[in-house]
Amino acid sequence: MVQSLFLPLFPSFLFPAIDLLYGGIYCFVCQDYIYDKDMEQIAKEEQRKAWKLQGRAFCFLTENLIQLLKQGIGEKYTTWEPTKRELELLRHNPKRRKITTNCTIGLRGLINLGNTCFMNCIVQALTHTPLLRDFFLSDRHKCEMQSNSCLVCEMSQLFQEFYSGHRSPHIPFRLLHLVWTHARHLAGYEQQDAHEFLIAALDVLHRHCKGDTINDNGKKANNPNHCNCIIDQIFTGGLQSDVTCQVCHGVSTTIDPFWDISLDLPGSSTPFWPLSPGGDGSTVNGESHLSGSTTLTDCLRRFTRPEHLGSSAKIKCGGCHSYQESTKQLTMKKLPIVACFHLKRFEHSAKLRRKITTYVSFPLELDMTPFMASSKESRMNGQYQQTVDVLNNDNKYSLFAVVNHQGTLESGHYTSFIRQHKDQWFKCDDAIITKASIKDVLDSEGYLLFYHKQFLEYEAKGLGTG
């Protein structure tokens, strides 16, 4: 128990003192704390000043959650105090919205502005990303640009629109204009790729979030090579590439950041060797292998298997000091909070352009432990043994959004499934929102799969938005 220090305020016969730790007024006669409105206000103002000087003015719960996860301890944050404007709004709106399991707040359709379904489905996925939602609804963005040109400001407004309780479809014309302004290759009313839009949107948000960048001490980060903005905190992972010399077995390792993982599919021109345990109906990562169907786990195994580069791609070995054949293997060095998997359904080559419609089974819950750089599982020659650590949830994920594409490469339409509450799913088809079953989600073709770290799920829900 922390011992408080008392500083006498008046002559000793009056027996009052101030608690230097919390700023409260203590009476030695009553042997209890007494409340004084003026002193309480002074204490709050001085406390705010002190925390700002220390760079620890955290009023945003998500930021504290991330710090808690990184450091194992919480950071102090100032209590929220309503402004005069907010008090006026509260007085004029006495009804309070309670979040329940059947609540539809946050569900809102988006008007298609002319082949903009690719944008609408990504917006639905982003607005239902828990920590991103908590960031924007906490009004944490500090804009250093003109607000009418800042994509982060527009996203903040978009979150307000989604969680306002309005049911009529929203018209995202400002968002479309800003995307055209900052990602010129997406400008126009032609059909665009949802995956390409996702990466472009994250890139622009990342660049416009620079005013929000902080380091682990809560101070503004000055290192341009290490961004800690909300986009990087949520979406950025580290991909490890190990190139091994076939002569001296020396290993050259590089680690690159990534926002998503693009996975090859059977049926493409890229060779895809069978990795499933067999058509025996066995289940790995919650995925069924019935009828020899391909699973997301199969695609991840292929992605992380050692690949022989061949004689036409020799590298200069630092140990041999000459060009040698080598093998290359990709693994996950650092997992992001949100993992996005891009199933490469659109094939563009010199000989053909087509869509790959191979069905890929994906699970509601995914364990990424076998694909970590630290994993000791053998991936050589297609042999794979998975050990399950039920106590380790750091690498386990829950599905919360799926983007689908119907149609052909030349003409198609994007829709999305989003998870509103646990086991409650909805289909978003531009302006139309309909309830969906888990079977509808898992039976869908799948183009972009969004997973959220499982051990954050309870804390994220605990922030009050369900």
Side-chain angles (χ1 to χ4, degrees), residues 21-44:
L21 188 60
Y22 298 103
I25 305 299
Y26 187 84
C27 176
F28 285 99
V29 175
C30 304
Q31 295 187 349
D32 198 2
Y33 286 92
I34 59 175
Y35 179 78
D36 181 88
K37 185 176 180 180
D38 293 333
M39 288 301 298
E40 185 79 9
Q41 188 60 35
I42 292 171
K44 284 184 178 180

Side-chain angles (χ1 to χ4, degrees), residues 257-405:
F258 69 87
W259 279 333
D260 73 311
I261 296 292
S262 294
L263 301 170
D264 290 316
L265 303 179
S268 67
S269 57
T270 305
F272 192 103
W273 49 286
L275 290 165
S276 295
D280 56 358
S282 59
T283 300
V284 177
N285 241 335
E287 301 162 308
S288 173
H289 291 83
L290 291 173
S291 304
S293 64
T294 303
T295 69
L296 177 61
T297 302
D298 290 337
C299 298
L300 286 167
R301 289 178 192 163
R302 185 192 184 282
F303 183 80
T304 55
R305 70 173 181 175
E307 177 187 3
H308 184 65
L309 298 181
S311 57
S312 60
K314 289 184 177 181
I315 55 108
K316 188 169 185 179
C317 175
C320 300
H321 303 291
S322 61
Y323 287 91
Q324 304 288 355
E325 291 189 22
S326 60
T327 59
K328 179 180 179 180
Q329 185 171 17
L330 299 174
T331 50
M332 310 295 164
K333 178 65 175 178
K334 173 184 174 291
L335 290 173
I337 291 176
V338 169
C340 175
F341 300 105
H342 165 226
L343 305 184
K344 295 165 70 173
R345 296 200 174 275
F346 302 125
E347 187 170 29
H348 303 270
S349 65
K351 295 182 179 180
L352 56 91
R353 295 176 68 253
R354 62 180 181 134
K355 179 184 175 183
I356 300 166
T357 58
T358 305
Y359 173 71
V360 176
S361 169
F362 50 91
L364 287 173
E365 297 182 350
L366 177 69
D367 187 358
M368 289 293 290
T369 303
F371 314 110
M372 297 295 293
S374 57
S375 175
K376 297 180 180 179
E377 278 74 26
S378 171
R379 300 181 184 89
M380 300 299 292
N381 301 318
Q383 297 300 314
Y384 178 85
Q385 294 179 344
Q386 183 177 9
T387 58
V388 179
D389 183 358
V390 295
L391 299 177
N392 181 16
N393 290 322
D394 288 2
N395 304 328
K396 293 180 181 178
Y397 287 81
S398 293
L399 184 72
F400 74 92
V402 177
V403 171
N404 288 296
H405 179 270

Side-chain angles (χ1 to χ4, degrees), residues 228-247:
N228 200 26
C229 70
I230 191 64
I231 299 301
D232 278 333
Q233 287 187 56
I234 294 176
F235 293 97
T236 300
L239 187 65
Q240 180 169 315
S241 173
D242 295 317
V243 178
T244 305
C245 174
Q246 294 297 283
V247 176

